mmCIF file of all heavy atoms in Angstrom:
data_model
loop_
_atom_site.group_PDB
_atom_site.id
_atom_site.type_symbol
_atom_site.label_atom_id
_atom_site.label_comp_id
_atom_site.label_asym_id
_atom_site.label_seq_id
_atom_site.Cartn_x
_atom_site.Cartn_y
_atom_site.Cartn_z
ATOM 1 N N ARG C 436 -74.563 -90.426 -71.575
ATOM 2 C CA ARG C 436 -74.155 -91.401 -72.586
ATOM 3 C C ARG C 436 -72.693 -91.962 -72.067
ATOM 4 O O ARG C 436 -72.305 -93.105 -72.153
ATOM 5 C CB ARG C 436 -73.930 -90.813 -73.879
ATOM 6 C CG ARG C 436 -75.300 -90.600 -74.579
ATOM 7 C CD ARG C 436 -75.076 -90.077 -76.005
ATOM 8 N NE ARG C 436 -74.641 -88.676 -75.993
ATOM 9 C CZ ARG C 436 -75.561 -87.661 -76.142
ATOM 10 N NH1 ARG C 436 -76.876 -87.906 -76.198
ATOM 11 N NH2 ARG C 436 -75.006 -86.390 -76.282
ATOM 12 N N GLN C 437 -71.906 -91.030 -71.413
ATOM 13 C CA GLN C 437 -70.543 -91.485 -71.133
ATOM 14 C C GLN C 437 -70.272 -91.936 -69.794
ATOM 15 O O GLN C 437 -69.417 -92.588 -69.437
ATOM 16 C CB GLN C 437 -69.611 -90.319 -71.504
ATOM 17 C CG GLN C 437 -69.526 -89.936 -73.058
ATOM 18 C CD GLN C 437 -68.230 -89.149 -73.404
ATOM 19 O OE1 GLN C 437 -67.182 -89.347 -72.693
ATOM 20 N NE2 GLN C 437 -68.272 -88.506 -74.459
ATOM 21 N N ALA C 438 -71.213 -91.484 -68.802
ATOM 22 C CA ALA C 438 -71.061 -91.864 -67.463
ATOM 23 C C ALA C 438 -72.494 -92.107 -66.838
ATOM 24 O O ALA C 438 -72.949 -91.347 -66.096
ATOM 25 C CB ALA C 438 -70.242 -90.884 -66.632
ATOM 26 N N PRO C 439 -73.207 -93.084 -67.375
ATOM 27 C CA PRO C 439 -74.605 -93.312 -66.866
ATOM 28 C C PRO C 439 -74.712 -93.417 -65.356
ATOM 29 O O PRO C 439 -75.759 -93.010 -64.804
ATOM 30 C CB PRO C 439 -75.024 -94.445 -67.690
ATOM 31 C CG PRO C 439 -73.710 -95.290 -68.081
ATOM 32 C CD PRO C 439 -72.732 -94.190 -68.264
ATOM 33 N N GLN C 440 -73.798 -94.058 -64.739
ATOM 34 C CA GLN C 440 -73.942 -94.233 -63.225
ATOM 35 C C GLN C 440 -73.878 -92.834 -62.480
ATOM 36 O O GLN C 440 -74.743 -92.620 -61.674
ATOM 37 C CB GLN C 440 -72.833 -95.130 -62.755
ATOM 38 C CG GLN C 440 -72.950 -95.341 -61.190
ATOM 39 C CD GLN C 440 -71.759 -96.328 -60.659
ATOM 40 O OE1 GLN C 440 -70.704 -96.538 -61.406
ATOM 41 N NE2 GLN C 440 -71.873 -96.608 -59.341
ATOM 42 N N ALA C 441 -72.972 -92.037 -62.897
ATOM 43 C CA ALA C 441 -72.770 -90.688 -62.380
ATOM 44 C C ALA C 441 -74.040 -89.875 -62.731
ATOM 45 O O ALA C 441 -74.713 -89.266 -61.877
ATOM 46 C CB ALA C 441 -71.567 -89.990 -62.824
ATOM 47 N N ALA C 442 -74.484 -90.029 -64.036
ATOM 48 C CA ALA C 442 -75.684 -89.298 -64.466
ATOM 49 C C ALA C 442 -76.883 -89.694 -63.635
ATOM 50 O O ALA C 442 -77.815 -88.861 -63.518
ATOM 51 C CB ALA C 442 -75.957 -89.539 -65.868
ATOM 52 N N GLY C 443 -76.986 -90.819 -63.171
ATOM 53 C CA GLY C 443 -78.132 -91.457 -62.366
ATOM 54 C C GLY C 443 -78.168 -90.715 -61.008
ATOM 55 O O GLY C 443 -79.269 -90.742 -60.380
ATOM 56 N N HIS C 444 -77.128 -89.902 -60.631
ATOM 57 C CA HIS C 444 -77.206 -89.347 -59.247
ATOM 58 C C HIS C 444 -77.359 -87.793 -59.504
ATOM 59 O O HIS C 444 -77.498 -87.046 -58.442
ATOM 60 C CB HIS C 444 -75.877 -89.479 -58.602
ATOM 61 C CG HIS C 444 -75.644 -90.907 -57.932
ATOM 62 N ND1 HIS C 444 -75.856 -91.115 -56.686
ATOM 63 C CD2 HIS C 444 -75.507 -92.026 -58.478
ATOM 64 C CE1 HIS C 444 -75.561 -92.407 -56.245
ATOM 65 N NE2 HIS C 444 -75.433 -92.991 -57.546
ATOM 66 N N VAL C 445 -77.496 -87.382 -60.643
ATOM 67 C CA VAL C 445 -77.778 -85.933 -61.038
ATOM 68 C C VAL C 445 -79.275 -85.774 -60.814
ATOM 69 O O VAL C 445 -80.104 -86.587 -61.309
ATOM 70 C CB VAL C 445 -77.279 -85.564 -62.419
ATOM 71 C CG1 VAL C 445 -77.912 -84.180 -62.688
ATOM 72 C CG2 VAL C 445 -75.867 -85.701 -62.561
ATOM 73 N N VAL C 446 -79.569 -84.648 -60.179
ATOM 74 C CA VAL C 446 -80.955 -84.191 -60.124
ATOM 75 C C VAL C 446 -80.974 -82.734 -60.337
ATOM 76 O O VAL C 446 -80.251 -81.953 -59.788
ATOM 77 C CB VAL C 446 -81.562 -84.507 -58.813
ATOM 78 C CG1 VAL C 446 -80.776 -83.969 -57.512
ATOM 79 C CG2 VAL C 446 -82.918 -83.870 -58.703
ATOM 80 N N THR C 447 -81.786 -82.402 -61.402
ATOM 81 C CA THR C 447 -81.883 -80.894 -61.736
ATOM 82 C C THR C 447 -83.220 -80.333 -61.161
ATOM 83 O O THR C 447 -84.255 -80.940 -60.984
ATOM 84 C CB THR C 447 -81.950 -80.645 -63.275
ATOM 85 O OG1 THR C 447 -82.890 -81.409 -63.815
ATOM 86 C CG2 THR C 447 -80.521 -81.073 -63.742
ATOM 87 N N VAL C 448 -83.191 -78.937 -60.726
ATOM 88 C CA VAL C 448 -84.203 -78.332 -60.181
ATOM 89 C C VAL C 448 -84.401 -76.897 -60.762
ATOM 90 O O VAL C 448 -83.478 -76.274 -61.113
ATOM 91 C CB VAL C 448 -84.107 -78.130 -58.729
ATOM 92 C CG1 VAL C 448 -85.320 -77.563 -57.986
ATOM 93 C CG2 VAL C 448 -83.628 -79.435 -57.900
ATOM 94 N N CYS C 449 -85.660 -76.587 -61.089
ATOM 95 C CA CYS C 449 -85.924 -75.324 -61.758
ATOM 96 C C CYS C 449 -87.184 -74.703 -61.158
ATOM 97 O O CYS C 449 -88.069 -75.434 -60.855
ATOM 98 C CB CYS C 449 -86.209 -75.468 -63.324
ATOM 99 S SG CYS C 449 -84.725 -75.606 -64.356
ATOM 100 N N PRO C 450 -87.151 -73.345 -61.024
ATOM 101 C CA PRO C 450 -88.433 -72.783 -60.680
ATOM 102 C C PRO C 450 -89.276 -72.255 -61.978
ATOM 103 O O PRO C 450 -89.330 -71.033 -62.325
ATOM 104 C CB PRO C 450 -87.911 -71.505 -59.898
ATOM 105 C CG PRO C 450 -86.654 -71.115 -60.470
ATOM 106 C CD PRO C 450 -86.054 -72.337 -61.181
ATOM 107 N N ASP C 451 -89.674 -73.212 -62.633
ATOM 108 C CA ASP C 451 -90.455 -73.004 -63.775
ATOM 109 C C ASP C 451 -89.785 -72.422 -64.957
ATOM 110 O O ASP C 451 -90.215 -71.610 -65.791
ATOM 111 C CB ASP C 451 -91.820 -72.134 -63.540
ATOM 112 C CG ASP C 451 -92.859 -72.188 -64.531
ATOM 113 O OD1 ASP C 451 -93.007 -73.337 -65.087
ATOM 114 O OD2 ASP C 451 -93.423 -71.220 -64.781
ATOM 115 N N VAL C 452 -88.455 -72.728 -65.136
ATOM 116 C CA VAL C 452 -87.554 -72.235 -66.321
ATOM 117 C C VAL C 452 -86.844 -73.203 -66.981
ATOM 118 O O VAL C 452 -85.942 -72.892 -67.762
ATOM 119 C CB VAL C 452 -86.649 -71.075 -65.682
ATOM 120 C CG1 VAL C 452 -87.379 -69.911 -65.210
ATOM 121 C CG2 VAL C 452 -85.711 -71.636 -64.692
ATOM 122 N N ALA C 453 -87.279 -74.515 -67.056
ATOM 123 C CA ALA C 453 -86.536 -75.607 -67.675
ATOM 124 C C ALA C 453 -86.368 -75.335 -69.189
ATOM 125 O O ALA C 453 -85.301 -75.459 -69.755
ATOM 126 C CB ALA C 453 -87.141 -76.863 -67.358
ATOM 127 N N SER C 454 -87.506 -74.963 -69.655
ATOM 128 C CA SER C 454 -87.561 -74.706 -71.262
ATOM 129 C C SER C 454 -86.737 -73.619 -71.707
ATOM 130 O O SER C 454 -86.000 -73.554 -72.695
ATOM 131 C CB SER C 454 -89.124 -74.472 -71.685
ATOM 132 O OG SER C 454 -89.545 -73.397 -71.110
ATOM 133 N N THR C 455 -86.562 -72.526 -70.914
ATOM 134 C CA THR C 455 -85.878 -71.208 -71.322
ATOM 135 C C THR C 455 -84.403 -71.263 -70.820
ATOM 136 O O THR C 455 -83.656 -70.295 -71.056
ATOM 137 C CB THR C 455 -86.518 -69.966 -70.654
ATOM 138 O OG1 THR C 455 -86.786 -70.118 -69.286
ATOM 139 C CG2 THR C 455 -87.897 -69.703 -71.389
ATOM 140 N N THR C 456 -84.041 -72.331 -70.192
ATOM 141 C CA THR C 456 -82.587 -72.406 -69.815
ATOM 142 C C THR C 456 -81.900 -73.601 -70.448
ATOM 143 O O THR C 456 -80.854 -74.136 -69.975
ATOM 144 C CB THR C 456 -82.513 -72.493 -68.253
ATOM 145 O OG1 THR C 456 -83.236 -73.574 -67.696
ATOM 146 C CG2 THR C 456 -82.926 -71.153 -67.608
ATOM 147 N N ASN C 457 -82.525 -74.179 -71.544
ATOM 148 C CA ASN C 457 -81.834 -75.273 -72.178
ATOM 149 C C ASN C 457 -81.837 -76.572 -71.554
ATOM 150 O O ASN C 457 -80.867 -77.291 -71.826
ATOM 151 C CB ASN C 457 -80.552 -74.777 -72.823
ATOM 152 C CG ASN C 457 -80.611 -74.067 -74.110
ATOM 153 O OD1 ASN C 457 -80.767 -74.733 -75.139
ATOM 154 N ND2 ASN C 457 -80.521 -72.744 -74.154
ATOM 155 N N LEU C 458 -82.766 -76.778 -70.674
ATOM 156 C CA LEU C 458 -82.839 -78.202 -70.056
ATOM 157 C C LEU C 458 -83.814 -79.139 -70.696
ATOM 158 O O LEU C 458 -84.006 -80.210 -70.223
ATOM 159 C CB LEU C 458 -83.142 -78.075 -68.530
ATOM 160 C CG LEU C 458 -82.023 -77.483 -67.681
ATOM 161 C CD1 LEU C 458 -82.594 -77.531 -66.232
ATOM 162 C CD2 LEU C 458 -80.731 -78.220 -67.803
ATOM 163 N N GLY C 459 -84.421 -78.681 -71.887
ATOM 164 C CA GLY C 459 -85.476 -79.487 -72.378
ATOM 165 C C GLY C 459 -85.063 -80.889 -72.832
ATOM 166 O O GLY C 459 -85.768 -81.838 -72.617
ATOM 167 N N GLY C 460 -83.877 -80.900 -73.452
ATOM 168 C CA GLY C 460 -83.335 -82.221 -73.826
ATOM 169 C C GLY C 460 -83.099 -83.226 -72.642
ATOM 170 O O GLY C 460 -83.456 -84.388 -72.679
#
Side-chain angles (χ1 to χ4, degrees):
R436 291 186 284 265
Q437 296 201 25
Q440 184 184 6
H444 285 253
V445 171
V446 51
T447 56
V448 188
C449 275
D451 199 37
V452 294
S454 59
T455 52
T456 54
N457 271 281
L458 288 185

